[in-house]
Amino acid sequence: MTTRRALLKSLAAGAMVAGAGTMGLPLSARASGWPDRPVRILVPFAAGGNTDGIARLLAAHLSDRLGQQFVVENRTGAGGTIAAEATARSPADGYTLMVAAVAQMAVFPAIKKTNYDPLTDFAAVSNVASNPFCLVVHPSFPATTLPELVAYVKERPGKVVYASGGNGSISHLTMALFVKRAGLEMMHTPYRGGAPAVADVIAGHVPMYFGNLSEALPHAGGALRPIAVSGATRAAKLPAVPTVAEQGYPGFKTDTWNGLTAPAGTPKEIVDLLAREVKAALKEKKTLEQLDSFGVDPIGSTPDEFKATIAADLALWREAVKDANVSL
């Protein structure tokens, strides 16, 4: 009887180990007991936007796969840097994560000194999704291609205006970067956000705006004319619109992204596990459909790839900040 009980216990233990493998948990993470309580995912913006939506998709997937609650906590303020600082200062135990946007990890640190270092105070987990920017003009604007736009502006130095979502915003910096590389002189009109900037271009008060693709899509081909996209490849939603690079500016690339991060020093097995789960989530039909509704493209990078993206974007936006002469 004792032998039989010992055998059953042994079989049960083996089944538990096998089950851990099928759940996607490496034995090192399972042995550490992570996660054995709820995990919070900080979001640097209010509920309702793309960053919040992506965080909630990940939270649902991770809760289902890892058997603990992953709870989204919107920590707003200071352009998202409050959430970033809170994440950087949290214990590196896997129980605090953040779905970061490019603004917190590359743009604001390029503009001014922040209370965190995006390269040393965080463990990059995975870049989840991204989308490029789209240069749009009012339908009455007499240019249908980027070379035509450049020629028009060069004939009127310092007289043509572009809108942005605010001084130092990514839409401002993207256009400033292009203006510098194209050798243009233009006037900048900042708005309090992308929505009012788009509204004024639609109304014909300002001729152009280089903003988030998701802002332009609802109006493309009607109230707005897309001229170029800023990604490395054409946008799936606007396949007929060439990239900036295709139209005479090789190497030009800017985009906005949302990625999963953790405090620096978070155990590698936890970081690697989370990165694998992000990739797994991005293979699910419902996740892909939701991301498509946000107007973003799935990525699912490795931790090393995501860290390289942050470093490259930090250098890029520092160049743009210098070109735009921005200080906050």
Side-chain angles (χ1 to χ4, degrees):
M1 180 68 70
T2 302
T3 302
R4 184 172 181 273
R5 285 178 179 171
L7 178 61
L8 288 174
K9 286 183 179 179
S10 176
L11 290 172
M16 288 178 66
V17 171
T22 59
M23 287 175 64
L25 283 168
L27 294 181
S28 54
R30 173 61 75 182
S32 71
W34 184 90
D36 64 0
R37 65 180 190 271
V39 178
R40 63 176 183 162
I41 302 178
L42 298 186
V43 174
F45 305 118
N50 282 4
T51 305
D52 178 72
I54 288 169
R56 292 181 189 281
L57 283 174
L58 289 181
H61 172 87
L62 293 169
S63 297
D64 182 59
R65 293 272 290 188
L66 303 184
Q68 281 290 342
Q69 276 193 312
F70 283 71
V71 182
V72 172
E73 180 181 323
N74 298 90
R75 186 76 67 89
T76 62
T81 57
I82 290 176
E85 184 177 354
T87 303
R89 301 292 174 257
S90 293
D93 54 9
Y95 290 95
T96 299
L97 309 172
M98 177 177 71
V99 172
V102 66
Q104 298 86 54
M105 304 305 287
V107 177
F108 280 112
I111 295 174
K112 62 180 182 179
K113 182 174 177 58
T114 53
N115 292 325
Y116 57 87
D117 186 310
L119 297 179
T120 61
D121 287 339
F122 297 89
V125 176
S126 182
N127 199 355
V128 182
S130 72
N131 69 329
F133 297 94
C134 184
L135 177 57
V136 293
V137 299
H138 187 269
S140 66
F141 190 76
T144 58
T145 68
L146 197 57
E148 290 176 0
L149 182 148
V150 169
Y152 180 88
V153 173
K154 282 188 173 181
E155 290 173 358
R156 299 160 180 82
K159 295 182 179 179
V160 181
V161 180
Y162 69 89
S164 83
N167 192 41
S169 65
I170 304 179
S171 61
H172 175 207
L173 296 178
T174 293
M175 190 63 181
L177 194 66
F178 177 71
V179 165
K180 179 70 172 181
R181 294 192 184 181
L184 304 178
E185 295 177 43
M186 299 186 69
M187 294 177 64
H188 169 223
T189 299
Y191 287 77
R192 292 187 175 182
V198 169
D200 259 17
V201 177
I202 291 173
H205 301 313
V206 186
M208 69 185 72
Y209 172 68
F210 210 151
N212 198 303
L213 178 64
S214 58
E215 295 171 330
L217 278 174
H219 315 287
L224 296 173
R225 179 191 302 142
I227 295 288
V229 293
S230 68
T233 60
R234 296 191 184 195
K237 293 278 191 178
L238 293 173
V241 179
T243 65
V244 173
E246 283 181 272
Q247 298 187 74
Y249 301 91
F252 188 95
K253 175 185 175 291
T254 65
D255 60 9
T256 182
W257 43 255
N258 288 114
L260 188 63
T261 64
T266 298
K268 185 177 185 300
E269 61 266 24
I270 294 176
V271 170
D272 289 344
L273 168 62
L274 287 167
R276 287 196 299 273
E277 288 301 336
V278 169
K279 190 175 286 289
L282 296 180
K283 293 179 180 178
E284 296 177 355
K285 183 180 178 182
K286 62 180 181 181
T287 302
L288 294 175
E289 288 175 346
Q290 192 64 55
L291 292 179
D292 185 65
S293 74
F294 296 159
V296 302
D297 299 319
I299 300 177
S301 63
T302 67
D304 286 344
E305 289 169 342
F306 188 23
K307 185 174 182 178
T309 294
I310 295 171
D313 273 6
L314 192 56
L316 173 71
W317 295 118
R318 280 175 176 155
E319 177 189 347
V321 166
K322 183 178 178 182
D323 292 341
N325 194 27
V326 171
S327 61
L328 297 177

PDB file of all heavy atoms in Angstrom, residues 72-111:
ATOM      1  N   VAL A  72      -4.641  46.322 -14.519  1.00  0.00           N
ATOM      2  CA  VAL A  72      -4.220  47.581 -15.140  1.00  0.00           C
ATOM      3  C   VAL A  72      -4.488  48.734 -14.192  1.00  0.00           C
ATOM      4  O   VAL A  72      -5.578  48.857 -13.626  1.00  0.00           O
ATOM      5  CB  VAL A  72      -4.956  47.805 -16.478  1.00  0.00           C
ATOM      6  CG1 VAL A  72      -4.661  49.205 -17.034  1.00  0.00           C
ATOM      7  CG2 VAL A  72      -4.551  46.744 -17.493  1.00  0.00           C
ATOM      8  N   GLU A  73      -3.474  49.565 -14.007  1.00  0.00           N
ATOM      9  CA  GLU A  73      -3.586  50.745 -13.139  1.00  0.00           C
ATOM     10  C   GLU A  73      -3.169  51.976 -13.949  1.00  0.00           C
ATOM     11  O   GLU A  73      -2.009  52.091 -14.350  1.00  0.00           O
ATOM     12  CB  GLU A  73      -2.688  50.586 -11.918  1.00  0.00           C
ATOM     13  CG  GLU A  73      -2.732  51.771 -10.963  1.00  0.00           C
ATOM     14  CD  GLU A  73      -1.803  51.590  -9.774  1.00  0.00           C
ATOM     15  OE1 GLU A  73      -1.677  50.441  -9.287  1.00  0.00           O
ATOM     16  OE2 GLU A  73      -1.202  52.592  -9.342  1.00  0.00           O
ATOM     17  N   ASN A  74      -4.103  52.864 -14.218  1.00  0.00           N
ATOM     18  CA  ASN A  74      -3.800  54.084 -14.973  1.00  0.00           C
ATOM     19  C   ASN A  74      -3.168  55.115 -14.048  1.00  0.00           C
ATOM     20  O   ASN A  74      -3.803  55.610 -13.126  1.00  0.00           O
ATOM     21  CB  ASN A  74      -5.073  54.648 -15.607  1.00  0.00           C
ATOM     22  CG  ASN A  74      -5.694  53.693 -16.605  1.00  0.00           C
ATOM     23  OD1 ASN A  74      -6.531  52.861 -16.243  1.00  0.00           O
ATOM     24  ND2 ASN A  74      -5.279  53.785 -17.840  1.00  0.00           N
ATOM     25  N   ARG A  75      -1.891  55.399 -14.284  1.00  0.00           N
ATOM     26  CA  ARG A  75      -1.136  56.354 -13.459  1.00  0.00           C
ATOM     27  C   ARG A  75      -0.766  57.535 -14.362  1.00  0.00           C
ATOM     28  O   ARG A  75       0.254  57.501 -15.055  1.00  0.00           O
ATOM     29  CB  ARG A  75       0.111  55.675 -12.894  1.00  0.00           C
ATOM     30  CG  ARG A  75       0.904  56.535 -11.904  1.00  0.00           C
ATOM     31  CD  ARG A  75       0.238  56.609 -10.559  1.00  0.00           C
ATOM     32  NE  ARG A  75       0.247  55.323  -9.888  1.00  0.00           N
ATOM     33  CZ  ARG A  75       1.240  54.900  -9.082  1.00  0.00           C
ATOM     34  NH1 ARG A  75       2.302  55.658  -8.870  1.00  0.00           N
ATOM     35  NH2 ARG A  75       1.157  53.720  -8.485  1.00  0.00           N
ATOM     36  N   THR A  76      -1.617  58.529 -14.403  1.00  0.00           N
ATOM     37  CA  THR A  76      -1.461  59.610 -15.369  1.00  0.00           C
ATOM     38  C   THR A  76      -0.670  60.788 -14.795  1.00  0.00           C
ATOM     39  O   THR A  76      -0.413  60.855 -13.595  1.00  0.00           O
ATOM     40  CB  THR A  76      -2.839  60.121 -15.833  1.00  0.00           C
ATOM     41  OG1 THR A  76      -3.540  60.642 -14.706  1.00  0.00           O
ATOM     42  CG2 THR A  76      -3.665  58.996 -16.433  1.00  0.00           C
ATOM     43  N   GLY A  77      -0.308  61.713 -15.695  1.00  0.00           N
ATOM     44  CA  GLY A  77       0.341  62.942 -15.280  1.00  0.00           C
ATOM     45  C   GLY A  77       1.717  63.123 -15.866  1.00  0.00           C
ATOM     46  O   GLY A  77       2.436  62.144 -16.130  1.00  0.00           O
ATOM     47  N   ALA A  78       2.057  64.396 -16.120  1.00  0.00           N
ATOM     48  CA  ALA A  78       3.385  64.781 -16.617  1.00  0.00           C
ATOM     49  C   ALA A  78       3.761  64.023 -17.886  1.00  0.00           C
ATOM     50  O   ALA A  78       4.902  63.594 -18.055  1.00  0.00           O
ATOM     51  CB  ALA A  78       4.440  64.579 -15.534  1.00  0.00           C
ATOM     52  N   GLY A  79       2.791  63.871 -18.775  1.00  0.00           N
ATOM     53  CA  GLY A  79       3.067  63.213 -20.044  1.00  0.00           C
ATOM     54  C   GLY A  79       3.406  61.744 -19.927  1.00  0.00           C
ATOM     55  O   GLY A  79       3.978  61.151 -20.850  1.00  0.00           O
ATOM     56  N   GLY A  80       3.062  61.151 -18.802  1.00  0.00           N
ATOM     57  CA  GLY A  80       3.349  59.728 -18.604  1.00  0.00           C
ATOM     58  C   GLY A  80       4.609  59.465 -17.817  1.00  0.00           C
ATOM     59  O   GLY A  80       4.894  58.321 -17.463  1.00  0.00           O
ATOM     60  N   THR A  81       5.366  60.514 -17.486  1.00  0.00           N
ATOM     61  CA  THR A  81       6.624  60.296 -16.779  1.00  0.00           C
ATOM     62  C   THR A  81       6.407  59.906 -15.312  1.00  0.00           C
ATOM     63  O   THR A  81       7.274  59.298 -14.701  1.00  0.00           O
ATOM     64  CB  THR A  81       7.528  61.541 -16.848  1.00  0.00           C
ATOM     65  OG1 THR A  81       6.828  62.668 -16.299  1.00  0.00           O
ATOM     66  CG2 THR A  81       7.910  61.845 -18.295  1.00  0.00           C
ATOM     67  N   ILE A  82       5.245  60.232 -14.758  1.00  0.00           N
ATOM     68  CA  ILE A  82       4.949  59.811 -13.379  1.00  0.00           C
ATOM     69  C   ILE A  82       4.873  58.293 -13.295  1.00  0.00           C
ATOM     70  O   ILE A  82       5.430  57.663 -12.387  1.00  0.00           O
ATOM     71  CB  ILE A  82       3.647  60.468 -12.878  1.00  0.00           C
ATOM     72  CG1 ILE A  82       3.862  61.968 -12.663  1.00  0.00           C
ATOM     73  CG2 ILE A  82       3.158  59.808 -11.588  1.00  0.00           C
ATOM     74  CD1 ILE A  82       2.620  62.738 -12.271  1.00  0.00           C
ATOM     75  N   ALA A  83       4.180  57.678 -14.249  1.00  0.00           N
ATOM     76  CA  ALA A  83       4.085  56.214 -14.269  1.00  0.00           C
ATOM     77  C   ALA A  83       5.457  55.587 -14.514  1.00  0.00           C
ATOM     78  O   ALA A  83       5.801  54.562 -13.917  1.00  0.00           O
ATOM     79  CB  ALA A  83       3.104  55.774 -15.356  1.00  0.00           C
ATOM     80  N   ALA A  84       6.234  56.198 -15.393  1.00  0.00           N
ATOM     81  CA  ALA A  84       7.564  55.664 -15.691  1.00  0.00           C
ATOM     82  C   ALA A  84       8.457  55.710 -14.454  1.00  0.00           C
ATOM     83  O   ALA A  84       9.159  54.740 -14.140  1.00  0.00           O
ATOM     84  CB  ALA A  84       8.196  56.449 -16.840  1.00  0.00           C
ATOM     85  N   GLU A  85       8.417  56.825 -13.735  1.00  0.00           N
ATOM     86  CA  GLU A  85       9.233  56.940 -12.523  1.00  0.00           C
ATOM     87  C   GLU A  85       8.770  55.940 -11.469  1.00  0.00           C
ATOM     88  O   GLU A  85       9.596  55.301 -10.793  1.00  0.00           O
ATOM     89  CB  GLU A  85       9.164  58.357 -11.972  1.00  0.00           C
ATOM     90  CG  GLU A  85      10.077  58.569 -10.768  1.00  0.00           C
ATOM     91  CD  GLU A  85      10.072  59.997 -10.268  1.00  0.00           C
ATOM     92  OE1 GLU A  85       9.459  60.875 -10.909  1.00  0.00           O
ATOM     93  OE2 GLU A  85      10.692  60.237  -9.207  1.00  0.00           O
ATOM     94  N   ALA A  86       7.456  55.767 -11.335  1.00  0.00           N
ATOM     95  CA  ALA A  86       6.931  54.810 -10.365  1.00  0.00           C
ATOM     96  C   ALA A  86       7.380  53.390 -10.697  1.00  0.00           C
ATOM     97  O   ALA A  86       7.722  52.606  -9.805  1.00  0.00           O
ATOM     98  CB  ALA A  86       5.405  54.885 -10.327  1.00  0.00           C
ATOM     99  N   THR A  87       7.394  53.059 -11.970  1.00  0.00           N
ATOM    100  CA  THR A  87       7.845  51.731 -12.393  1.00  0.00           C
ATOM    101  C   THR A  87       9.321  51.550 -12.097  1.00  0.00           C
ATOM    102  O   THR A  87       9.742  50.522 -11.543  1.00  0.00           O
ATOM    103  CB  THR A  87       7.588  51.536 -13.896  1.00  0.00           C
ATOM    104  OG1 THR A  87       6.203  51.734 -14.171  1.00  0.00           O
ATOM    105  CG2 THR A  87       8.000  50.139 -14.352  1.00  0.00           C
ATOM    106  N   ALA A  88      10.118  52.538 -12.475  1.00  0.00           N
ATOM    107  CA  ALA A  88      11.566  52.445 -12.270  1.00  0.00           C
ATOM    108  C   ALA A  88      11.925  52.291 -10.798  1.00  0.00           C
ATOM    109  O   ALA A  88      12.924  51.642 -10.467  1.00  0.00           O
ATOM    110  CB  ALA A  88      12.246  53.678 -12.855  1.00  0.00           C
ATOM    111  N   ARG A  89      11.115  52.881  -9.909  1.00  0.00           N
ATOM    112  CA  ARG A  89      11.424  52.846  -8.474  1.00  0.00           C
ATOM    113  C   ARG A  89      10.769  51.665  -7.753  1.00  0.00           C
ATOM    114  O   ARG A  89      10.952  51.484  -6.548  1.00  0.00           O
ATOM    115  CB  ARG A  89      10.965  54.155  -7.811  1.00  0.00           C
ATOM    116  CG  ARG A  89      11.625  55.401  -8.408  1.00  0.00           C
ATOM    117  CD  ARG A  89      13.116  55.468  -8.099  1.00  0.00           C
ATOM    118  NE  ARG A  89      13.755  56.589  -8.799  1.00  0.00           N
ATOM    119  CZ  ARG A  89      14.489  56.468  -9.891  1.00  0.00           C
ATOM    120  NH1 ARG A  89      14.697  55.258 -10.417  1.00  0.00           N
ATOM    121  NH2 ARG A  89      15.050  57.507 -10.461  1.00  0.00           N
ATOM    122  N   SER A  90      10.012  50.857  -8.461  1.00  0.00           N
ATOM    123  CA  SER A  90       9.337  49.716  -7.834  1.00  0.00           C
ATOM    124  C   SER A  90      10.306  48.547  -7.641  1.00  0.00           C
ATOM    125  O   SER A  90      11.326  48.446  -8.339  1.00  0.00           O
ATOM    126  CB  SER A  90       8.159  49.259  -8.707  1.00  0.00           C
ATOM    127  OG  SER A  90       7.152  50.244  -8.743  1.00  0.00           O
ATOM    128  N   PRO A  91      10.002  47.649  -6.697  1.00  0.00           N
ATOM    129  CA  PRO A  91      10.844  46.462  -6.516  1.00  0.00           C
ATOM    130  C   PRO A  91      10.935  45.656  -7.799  1.00  0.00           C
ATOM    131  O   PRO A  91       9.947  45.498  -8.527  1.00  0.00           O
ATOM    132  CB  PRO A  91      10.115  45.676  -5.420  1.00  0.00           C
ATOM    133  CG  PRO A  91       9.306  46.702  -4.690  1.00  0.00           C
ATOM    134  CD  PRO A  91       8.890  47.701  -5.728  1.00  0.00           C
ATOM    135  N   ALA A  92      12.114  45.135  -8.077  1.00  0.00           N
ATOM    136  CA  ALA A  92      12.345  44.371  -9.313  1.00  0.00           C
ATOM    137  C   ALA A  92      11.997  42.903  -9.087  1.00  0.00           C
ATOM    138  O   ALA A  92      12.851  42.024  -9.204  1.00  0.00           O
ATOM    139  CB  ALA A  92      13.798  44.527  -9.754  1.00  0.00           C
ATOM    140  N   ASP A  93      10.724  42.665  -8.756  1.00  0.00           N
ATOM    141  CA  ASP A  93      10.311  41.304  -8.402  1.00  0.00           C
ATOM    142  C   ASP A  93       9.271  40.726  -9.358  1.00  0.00           C
ATOM    143  O   ASP A  93       8.718  39.654  -9.106  1.00  0.00           O
ATOM    144  CB  ASP A  93       9.759  41.288  -6.973  1.00  0.00           C
ATOM    145  CG  ASP A  93       8.627  42.306  -6.753  1.00  0.00           C
ATOM    146  OD1 ASP A  93       8.154  42.906  -7.747  1.00  0.00           O
ATOM    147  OD2 ASP A  93       8.228  42.505  -5.587  1.00  0.00           O
ATOM    148  N   GLY A  94       8.971  41.455 -10.437  1.00  0.00           N
ATOM    149  CA  GLY A  94       8.010  40.953 -11.409  1.00  0.00           C
ATOM    150  C   GLY A  94       6.574  41.322 -11.116  1.00  0.00           C
ATOM    151  O   GLY A  94       5.680  40.949 -11.875  1.00  0.00           O
ATOM    152  N   TYR A  95       6.320  42.064 -10.032  1.00  0.00           N
ATOM    153  CA  TYR A  95       4.942  42.371  -9.669  1.00  0.00           C
ATOM    154  C   TYR A  95       4.519  43.793 -10.064  1.00  0.00           C
ATOM    155  O   TYR A  95       3.383  44.192  -9.818  1.00  0.00           O
ATOM    156  CB  TYR A  95       4.728  42.138  -8.177  1.00  0.00           C
ATOM    157  CG  TYR A  95       4.762  40.659  -7.860  1.00  0.00           C
ATOM    158  CD1 TYR A  95       5.943  40.061  -7.423  1.00  0.00           C
ATOM    159  CD2 TYR A  95       3.650  39.862  -8.076  1.00  0.00           C
ATOM    160  CE1 TYR A  95       5.998  38.698  -7.164  1.00  0.00           C
ATOM    161  CE2 TYR A  95       3.694  38.500  -7.820  1.00  0.00           C
ATOM    162  CZ  TYR A  95       4.869  37.917  -7.372  1.00  0.00           C
ATOM    163  OH  TYR A  95       4.918  36.564  -7.145  1.00  0.00           O
ATOM    164  N   THR A  96       5.426  44.537 -10.677  1.00  0.00           N
ATOM    165  CA  THR A  96       5.088  45.835 -11.267  1.00  0.00           C
ATOM    166  C   THR A  96       5.639  45.880 -12.684  1.00  0.00           C
ATOM    167  O   THR A  96       6.848  45.683 -12.891  1.00  0.00           O
ATOM    168  CB  THR A  96       5.671  47.013 -10.466  1.00  0.00           C
ATOM    169  OG1 THR A  96       5.130  47.000  -9.139  1.00  0.00           O
ATOM    170  CG2 THR A  96       5.319  48.341 -11.124  1.00  0.00           C
ATOM    171  N   LEU A  97       4.750  46.115 -13.635  1.00  0.00           N
ATOM    172  CA  LEU A  97       5.118  46.235 -15.040  1.00  0.00           C
ATOM    173  C   LEU A  97       4.551  47.552 -15.555  1.00  0.00           C
ATOM    174  O   LEU A  97       3.732  48.188 -14.892  1.00  0.00           O
ATOM    175  CB  LEU A  97       4.558  45.067 -15.850  1.00  0.00           C
ATOM    176  CG  LEU A  97       4.830  43.652 -15.328  1.00  0.00           C
ATOM    177  CD1 LEU A  97       4.038  42.630 -16.151  1.00  0.00           C
ATOM    178  CD2 LEU A  97       6.324  43.329 -15.380  1.00  0.00           C
ATOM    179  N   MET A  98       4.961  47.949 -16.739  1.00  0.00           N
ATOM    180  CA  MET A  98       4.382  49.133 -17.366  1.00  0.00           C
ATOM    181  C   MET A  98       4.313  48.928 -18.872  1.00  0.00           C
ATOM    182  O   MET A  98       5.272  48.437 -19.478  1.00  0.00           O
ATOM    183  CB  MET A  98       5.204  50.394 -17.073  1.00  0.00           C
ATOM    184  CG  MET A  98       4.664  51.639 -17.788  1.00  0.00           C
ATOM    185  SD  MET A  98       5.541  53.184 -17.407  1.00  0.00           S
ATOM    186  CE  MET A  98       7.099  52.923 -18.251  1.00  0.00           C
ATOM    187  N   VAL A  99       3.163  49.283 -19.444  1.00  0.00           N
ATOM    188  CA  VAL A  99       3.078  49.375 -20.897  1.00  0.00           C
ATOM    189  C   VAL A  99       3.455  50.810 -21.243  1.00  0.00           C
ATOM    190  O   VAL A  99       2.689  51.743 -21.018  1.00  0.00           O
ATOM    191  CB  VAL A  99       1.682  49.018 -21.423  1.00  0.00           C
ATOM    192  CG1 VAL A  99       1.587  49.326 -22.919  1.00  0.00           C
ATOM    193  CG2 VAL A  99       1.400  47.535 -21.190  1.00  0.00           C
ATOM    194  N   ALA A 100       4.668  50.972 -21.728  1.00  0.00           N
ATOM    195  CA  ALA A 100       5.218  52.293 -22.006  1.00  0.00           C
ATOM    196  C   ALA A 100       4.931  52.700 -23.438  1.00  0.00           C
ATOM    197  O   ALA A 100       4.736  51.868 -24.319  1.00  0.00           O
ATOM    198  CB  ALA A 100       6.720  52.288 -21.758  1.00  0.00           C
ATOM    199  N   ALA A 101       4.922  54.004 -23.647  1.00  0.00           N
ATOM    200  CA  ALA A 101       4.854  54.559 -24.990  1.00  0.00           C
ATOM    201  C   ALA A 101       6.195  55.210 -25.298  1.00  0.00           C
ATOM    202  O   ALA A 101       7.005  55.471 -24.404  1.00  0.00           O
ATOM    203  CB  ALA A 101       3.716  55.584 -25.089  1.00  0.00           C
ATOM    204  N   VAL A 102       6.423  55.483 -26.573  1.00  0.00           N
ATOM    205  CA  VAL A 102       7.694  56.076 -26.985  1.00  0.00           C
ATOM    206  C   VAL A 102       7.926  57.415 -26.293  1.00  0.00           C
ATOM    207  O   VAL A 102       9.077  57.802 -26.044  1.00  0.00           O
ATOM    208  CB  VAL A 102       7.736  56.214 -28.528  1.00  0.00           C
ATOM    209  CG1 VAL A 102       6.711  57.223 -29.017  1.00  0.00           C
ATOM    210  CG2 VAL A 102       9.122  56.598 -29.005  1.00  0.00           C
ATOM    211  N   ALA A 103       6.850  58.110 -25.927  1.00  0.00           N
ATOM    212  CA  ALA A 103       7.005  59.419 -25.278  1.00  0.00           C
ATOM    213  C   ALA A 103       7.791  59.318 -23.982  1.00  0.00           C
ATOM    214  O   ALA A 103       8.706  60.112 -23.732  1.00  0.00           O
ATOM    215  CB  ALA A 103       5.626  60.029 -25.016  1.00  0.00           C
ATOM    216  N   GLN A 104       7.456  58.349 -23.118  1.00  0.00           N
ATOM    217  CA  GLN A 104       8.139  58.237 -21.836  1.00  0.00           C
ATOM    218  C   GLN A 104       9.564  57.696 -21.966  1.00  0.00           C
ATOM    219  O   GLN A 104      10.452  58.060 -21.200  1.00  0.00           O
ATOM    220  CB  GLN A 104       7.381  57.303 -20.872  1.00  0.00           C
ATOM    221  CG  GLN A 104       6.000  57.752 -20.503  1.00  0.00           C
ATOM    222  CD  GLN A 104       4.980  57.294 -21.518  1.00  0.00           C
ATOM    223  OE1 GLN A 104       4.887  56.119 -21.826  1.00  0.00           O
ATOM    224  NE2 GLN A 104       4.203  58.226 -22.048  1.00  0.00           N
ATOM    225  N   MET A 105       9.772  56.818 -22.939  1.00  0.00           N
ATOM    226  CA  MET A 105      11.045  56.118 -23.029  1.00  0.00           C
ATOM    227  C   MET A 105      12.062  56.798 -23.947  1.00  0.00           C
ATOM    228  O   MET A 105      13.256  56.513 -23.861  1.00  0.00           O
ATOM    229  CB  MET A 105      10.808  54.680 -23.507  1.00  0.00           C
ATOM    230  CG  MET A 105       9.845  53.899 -22.644  1.00  0.00           C
ATOM    231  SD  MET A 105      10.311  53.841 -20.905  1.00  0.00           S
ATOM    232  CE  MET A 105      11.687  52.701 -20.969  1.00  0.00           C
ATOM    233  N   ALA A 106      11.599  57.690 -24.837  1.00  0.00           N
ATOM    234  CA  ALA A 106      12.548  58.284 -25.774  1.00  0.00           C
ATOM    235  C   ALA A 106      12.352  59.772 -26.013  1.00  0.00           C
ATOM    236  O   ALA A 106      13.326  60.492 -26.187  1.00  0.00           O
ATOM    237  CB  ALA A 106      12.489  57.539 -27.124  1.00  0.00           C
ATOM    238  N   VAL A 107      11.108  60.247 -26.020  1.00  0.00           N
ATOM    239  CA  VAL A 107      10.879  61.654 -26.373  1.00  0.00           C
ATOM    240  C   VAL A 107      11.153  62.587 -25.192  1.00  0.00           C
ATOM    241  O   VAL A 107      11.994  63.489 -25.286  1.00  0.00           O
ATOM    242  CB  VAL A 107       9.448  61.861 -26.917  1.00  0.00           C
ATOM    243  CG1 VAL A 107       9.212  63.341 -27.215  1.00  0.00           C
ATOM    244  CG2 VAL A 107       9.250  61.044 -28.191  1.00  0.00           C
ATOM    245  N   PHE A 108      10.461  62.374 -24.069  1.00  0.00           N
ATOM    246  CA  PHE A 108      10.687  63.272 -22.926  1.00  0.00           C
ATOM    247  C   PHE A 108      12.125  63.209 -22.422  1.00  0.00           C
ATOM    248  O   PHE A 108      12.704  64.258 -22.109  1.00  0.00           O
ATOM    249  CB  PHE A 108       9.690  62.971 -21.805  1.00  0.00           C
ATOM    250  CG  PHE A 108       8.340  63.570 -22.036  1.00  0.00           C
ATOM    251  CD1 PHE A 108       7.238  62.765 -22.292  1.00  0.00           C
ATOM    252  CD2 PHE A 108       8.147  64.943 -22.030  1.00  0.00           C
ATOM    253  CE1 PHE A 108       5.990  63.312 -22.535  1.00  0.00           C
ATOM    254  CE2 PHE A 108       6.899  65.505 -22.262  1.00  0.00           C
ATOM    255  CZ  PHE A 108       5.822  64.681 -22.521  1.00  0.00           C
ATOM    256  N   PRO A 109      12.739  62.025 -22.327  1.00  0.00           N
ATOM    257  CA  PRO A 109      14.145  62.008 -21.909  1.00  0.00           C
ATOM    258  C   PRO A 109      15.074  62.708 -22.897  1.00  0.00           C
ATOM    259  O   PRO A 109      16.184  63.106 -22.515  1.00  0.00           O
ATOM    260  CB  PRO A 109      14.460  60.504 -21.833  1.00  0.00           C
ATOM    261  CG  PRO A 109      13.147  59.859 -21.579  1.00  0.00           C
ATOM    262  CD  PRO A 109      12.174  60.667 -22.379  1.00  0.00           C
ATOM    263  N   ALA A 110      14.638  62.861 -24.161  1.00  0.00           N
ATOM    264  CA  ALA A 110      15.442  63.596 -25.144  1.00  0.00           C
ATOM    265  C   ALA A 110      15.280  65.095 -24.995  1.00  0.00           C
ATOM    266  O   ALA A 110      16.159  65.869 -25.372  1.00  0.00           O
ATOM    267  CB  ALA A 110      15.044  63.176 -26.558  1.00  0.00           C
ATOM    268  N   ILE A 111      14.150  65.515 -24.433  1.00  0.00           N
ATOM    269  CA  ILE A 111      13.861  66.945 -24.296  1.00  0.00           C
ATOM    270  C   ILE A 111      14.436  67.512 -23.005  1.00  0.00           C
ATOM    271  O   ILE A 111      15.010  68.605 -22.987  1.00  0.00           O
ATOM    272  CB  ILE A 111      12.341  67.193 -24.346  1.00  0.00           C
ATOM    273  CG1 ILE A 111      11.782  66.826 -25.725  1.00  0.00           C
ATOM    274  CG2 ILE A 111      12.012  68.653 -24.017  1.00  0.00           C
ATOM    275  CD1 ILE A 111      10.275  66.915 -25.816  1.00  0.00           C
TER     276      ILE A 111
END
